Amino acid sequence: MGSSVYAVEAEGLVKRYVVGGLMRPKRVVEALRGVSFRVSKGIVFSLLGPNGAGKTTTINILATLLEPDGGEARVLGFDVVRERWEVRKRIGVLLSVERGFFWKLTARENLIYFGMVYGLSGKDLRERVDEVLDVVGLNDLGASDKLFEEMSLGMKARLGLARALLRDPEVLLLDEPTLGLDPPSSVYVRKLLRSLAEKGKTVILTTHNMYEAEIVSDKVAMIVGGRIVIEGTPQELKKIVAKKVPVEVKLRGTIYDGGEGVRKDLVKVLGRPVYLKFSRDNDILEVRIVVEPGEEERVVEKVLRVSQSRGLRVVEAKVLEPSLEDVFIVVASSGGKDGGG
Amino acid sequence: MEAVRAALLSFAAEVYMSVRVYKNNPSMLFTSLTWPYLMVFVILVLGSSYGSLDEFSRSLGVTNPIFFLFAASGIAFTAVSIVDYGASFAAWYRWLGVLPYIVAGTPSLPAYLAASGLARSLLNVALTYVSITPAVILLGGLESGVRMIIVIGVLISGMIPLVGLAVVAAMLTVMVKVESDVLSFINPLLLLLSGVFYPIALLPDILEVVAALVPISYIVEASKIAAAFEAAWGGRLYSIMYILGLMAVAYNLVGLISSLRLERSIYLRGSAA
Ligand SMILES: Nc1ncnc2c1ncn2[C@@H]1O[C@H](COP(=O)(O)OP(=O)(O)O)[C@@H](O)[C@H]1O
Ligand SMILES: [Mg+2]
């Protein structure tokens, strides 16, 4: 075992969580319902999907932290269940950008601790730690000797990446590496991931940010409700909506159910999937619909009527350039259940 | 061998972390060094409301009560702290989010647990020793200081079976997976069974049996012997060491099985993440 043209192969991964028990009723959550994908070496691959889609579960299985209930997965040809240790030696993992370190140690001390746990020692260890601190730019920021508890989220994310790089792994598994970061930090992390892929590493990341997936990835797989609904390069995926017109209407008014009622009405009237984003801060409900060219006016009119009947005011209506978000709207409705965003 | 190297490096990592945490937070070091004094003070104040120091020494069978209190309470708390470390390890490391990186990073989880547990124990012993030796010498003279060395030797040997128990405790907390300290009752219970604050002979029969299975009571017994200036102490100390040795083998075997079980459970249920 252990030689493969692919960095990662997942075949029909199934995972069920049993929740409840101990006084509460038992319930089975089907987190993965047969997830398959392949990742070639040396690329950035994004697993894109809404909250609860199964991204973290997939990463945990690939990282040998969770045993699947069905299916198989291999990293660099090694089975994640039967050849766990072979996999572990070859991967770098980031599971959260805000946690995962000792608060009372500095960035460098944390890396030295984990380096030793990973089997590095002596001069090798110290040099390697300094190297990865350089790679992620913490030395440049002068943050290498800052206590973890005093670091900004952006610095913590870089430190998490530094630890993932400690053993110079071939494959990086990163769960939402830019979650909650300010824009400059996100930009930095994305650039770093691109440059790592250019140096031959395979970067597998998860994100719910469509824009991020589009600009950072060589390949994207959309996961919804525990299933991969579509896979391809961002360009390939965007072809699906190339000839379509995304329409966005912003509504304002009193909304109690996060817009679910409006969505049901719209789906009934329009007979097509509708994507909503509700912001509680300013009570604005964004309605996004993908339509055929020439249909825009008719659709907007219908949206107007529905919103009037629900006592909502139209703040803005516009036509947009197609993006991955629209691919998601189109394919998510035909695949699993809509997660919202 | 991979596991031996992993154990040595995990030991070093744990020592490195503890030293650095104290260096970054000197106030924590101060607290660690002064709490035995606080303990003895509280015990003396509480105890004096029940009876004189003489009565206390008679009921526990010691002739040098202050020396005994310092040595025994320091020892009992140090001993309990390692089991406590085991019991809170999984919940605490999961809360910090470091657990998955350790589980997926160490070449051998049993080696990591045993070595880091041992490192913690020895550091705790060292801190206790540094803390109470000045008081012991002040109160009992240089000879008491020498006796402390014997007691510390017993303590270190007693820590080895306790590391096994700590690993069992770690497994139990991960298996139960209820974050609120399920095992928080374990500390008061172990302290009660230690024989420092309450004579074991006066405990209910079942607890007496349990106490006989817990290494801590033997460590405390050893410090009693050292404090009592008895003629036959050499022989009794020897039999205590013998029992502790047997316990070390037994508990660490159970600990090893537990850590393999722990690894399995973490993996099946993803309880590291
Ligand atoms: N430890 C767990 N116990 C029970 N249910 C879980 C657990 N982890 C995840 N789930 C459920 O499994 C589904 C997938 O979760 P997850 O993989 O975390 O999705 P994502 O990372 O895409 O948000 C969700 O419905 C989630 O509620
Ligand atoms: Mg997630």
Side-chain angles (χ1 to χ4, degrees):
Chain A
M1 285 282 107
S3 67
S4 171
V5 288
Y6 293 107
V8 167
E9 299 154 276
E11 281 167 32
L13 287 178
V14 173
K15 184 68 199 181
R16 298 178 202 96
Y17 293 106
V18 181
V19 291
L22 275 186
M23 323 286 262
R24 272 166 290 159
K26 274 202 178 177
R27 202 165 51 85
V28 175
V29 179
E30 301 229 17
L32 301 184
R33 307 161 191 246
V35 166
S36 306
F37 58 88
R38 281 175 180 179
V39 183
S40 314
K41 287 180 184 167
I43 68 164
V44 177
F45 179 92
S46 293
L47 208 51
L48 170 68
N51 289 332
K55 304 182 296 292
T56 298
T57 302
T58 308
I59 290 286
N60 280 339
I61 289 174
L62 295 178
T64 79
L65 288 164
L66 183 65
E67 190 167 66
D69 295 315
E72 283 184 19
R74 280 178 297 282
V75 174
L76 298 164
F78 293 104
D79 189 286
V80 296
V81 177
R82 288 189 305 274
E83 295 163 300
R84 244 181 291 166
W85 180 238
E86 295 302 323
V87 174
R88 288 176 179 179
K89 279 194 285 197
R90 292 168 172 83
I91 58 174
V93 183
L94 174 67
L95 301 170
S96 152
V97 290
E98 53 180 353
R99 299 181 329 129
F101 289 97
F102 296 101
W103 294 28
K104 300 285 179 194
L105 295 184
T106 65
R108 188 189 308 276
E109 288 164 349
N110 265 299
L111 290 177
I112 290 177
Y113 174 85
F114 283 101
M116 284 198 248
V117 172
Y118 293 175
L120 301 168
S121 63
K123 199 161 149 259
D124 275 359
L125 171 63
R126 270 157 217 281
E127 280 175 6
R128 187 66 199 146
V129 164
D130 213 43
E131 227 170 283
V132 293
L133 283 169
D134 262 338
V135 171
V136 301
L138 280 174
N139 277 344
D140 286 342
L141 285 182
S144 300
D145 297 304
K146 233 183 170 54
L147 289 181
F148 182 70
E149 63 182 357
E150 289 167 358
M151 295 170 76
S152 69
L153 196 60
M155 293 175 186
K156 290 178 180 177
R158 292 174 191 225
L159 181 58
L161 289 168
R163 171 173 54 197
L165 290 168
L166 262 182
R167 280 191 285 194
D168 198 17
E170 280 180 68
V171 176
L172 289 167
L173 301 170
L174 315 172
D175 196 10
E176 309 230 27
T178 60
L179 186 66
L181 300 197
D182 53 33
S185 298
S186 300
V187 168
Y188 183 88
V189 167
R190 286 174 200 140
K191 266 195 200 144
L192 179 59
L193 299 185
R194 286 280 1 144
S195 79
L196 289 168
E198 255 119 63
K199 284 182 200 127
K201 298 204 186 299
T202 309
V203 180
I204 297 178
L205 66 110
T206 72
T207 180
H208 67 261
N209 182 335
M210 314 268 174
Y211 167 75
E212 170 165 285
E214 189 169 337
I215 60 164
V216 83
S217 331
D218 297 301
K219 243 184 132 183
V220 177
M222 281 192 187
I223 181 169
V224 181
R227 285 196 185 93
I228 304 280
V229 289
I230 195 167
E231 201 187 327
T233 65
Q235 292 71 33
E236 282 166 2
L237 296 195
K238 280 209 288 185
K239 263 187 210 147
I240 297 173
V241 291
K243 295 214 175 66
K244 309 219 172 193
V245 185
V247 173
E248 187 183 79
V249 183
K250 285 186 182 163
L251 305 173
R252 178 181 279 153
T254 322
I255 293 160
Y256 297 107
D257 56 356
E260 199 42 38
V262 181
R263 201 176 72 91
K264 281 202 183 115
D265 286 1
L266 285 172
V267 170
K268 203 189 292 168
V269 171
L270 297 168
R272 69 179 85 233
V274 172
Y275 188 70
L276 295 185
K277 244 189 239 165
F278 180 56
S279 147
R280 211 164 279 285
D281 303 336
N282 49 12
D283 271 342
I284 295 260
L285 183 68
E286 275 179 36
V287 179
R288 190 161 175 146
I289 307 162
V290 182
V291 306
E292 303 298 327
E295 271 189 325
E296 304 93 316
E297 263 175 56
R298 212 157 40 84
V299 166
V300 170
E301 232 167 73
K302 282 182 179 168
V303 175
L304 236 106
R305 231 174 295 141
V306 168
S307 34
Q308 265 168 358
S309 74
R310 290 211 154 242
L312 301 172
R313 220 153 36 79
V314 174
V315 183
E316 191 185 348
K318 62 183 173 194
V319 167
L320 305 164
E321 281 295 308
S323 73
L324 274 192
E325 200 152 345
D326 305 301
V327 180
F328 178 77
I329 295 168
V330 171
V331 296
S333 55
S334 56
K337 56 180 193 298
D338 182 37
Chain B
M1 255 184 67
E2 199 122 287
V4 174
R5 190 176 144 75
L8 288 174
L9 281 172
S10 302
F11 187 94
E14 203 65 30
V15 173
Y16 175 80
M17 171 166 65
S18 300
V19 169
R20 287 297 166 138
V21 166
Y22 280 129
K23 186 180 154 280
N24 297 342
N25 307 273
S27 64
M28 277 175 71
L29 183 61
F30 180 76
T31 313
S32 297
L33 289 176
T34 47
W35 68 259
Y37 293 86
L38 269 174
M39 277 302 307
V40 170
F41 179 73
V42 169
I43 292 168
L44 284 177
V45 169
L46 279 182
S48 63
S49 61
Y50 287 104
S52 69
L53 211 54
D54 284 345
E55 279 171 64
F56 175 78
S57 23
R58 235 175 297 125
S59 70
L60 282 176
V62 295
T63 49
N64 188 346
I66 306 262
F67 171 81
F68 171 73
L69 268 182
F70 262 111
S73 66
I75 281 161
F77 272 90
T78 309
V80 166
S81 74
I82 183 58
V83 179
D84 183 54
Y85 165 69
S88 53
F89 161 81
W92 170 235
Y93 275 30
R94 195 191 296 134
W95 187 79
L96 282 177
V98 298
L99 189 56
Y101 300 100
I102 291 171
V103 169
T106 173
S108 162
L109 189 62
Y112 170 84
L113 285 174
S116 65
L118 192 66
R120 286 242 164 178
S121 321
L122 294 181
L123 284 166
N124 285 347
V125 171
L127 274 177
T128 305
Y129 187 66
V130 168
S131 164
I132 68 181
T133 301
V136 165
I137 292 179
L138 208 72
L139 293 165
L142 218 56
E143 200 201 322
S144 293
V146 175
R147 282 165 184 272
M148 270 307 288
I149 294 176
I150 300 171
V151 173
I152 293 294
V154 180
L155 179 54
I156 291 175
S157 349
M159 281 310 212
I160 296 169
L162 282 171
V163 169
L165 278 182
V167 174
V168 177
M171 185 201 66
L172 285 176
T173 35
V174 170
M175 304 277 282
V176 178
K177 220 202 161 173
V178 180
E179 304 291 314
S180 64
D181 294 308
V182 205
L183 293 178
S184 58
F185 69 88
I186 212 172
N187 282 352
L189 184 70
L190 286 177
L191 283 177
L192 179 66
L193 296 179
S194 69
V196 180
F197 311 109
Y198 199 79
I200 290 175
L202 299 182
L203 291 173
D205 288 351
I206 315 172
L207 286 184
E208 262 188 70
V209 175
V210 180
L213 294 172
V214 176
I216 302 173
S217 57
Y218 297 92
I219 308 173
V220 170
E221 185 63 26
S223 60
K224 264 189 212 176
I225 295 168
F229 294 92
E230 282 174 27
W233 65 273
R236 277 175 63 197
L237 219 48
Y238 178 77
S239 57
I240 286 177
M241 298 301 281
Y242 191 73
I243 293 172
L244 285 177
L246 285 180
M247 282 184 167
V249 174
Y251 287 139
N252 281 294
L253 270 180
V254 180
L256 177 65
I257 295 165
S258 294
S259 66
L260 294 172
R261 202 61 202 79
L262 175 73
E263 193 165 27
R264 185 84 205 123
S265 152
I266 282 176
Y267 186 42
L268 258 180
R269 310 202 291 184
S271 23

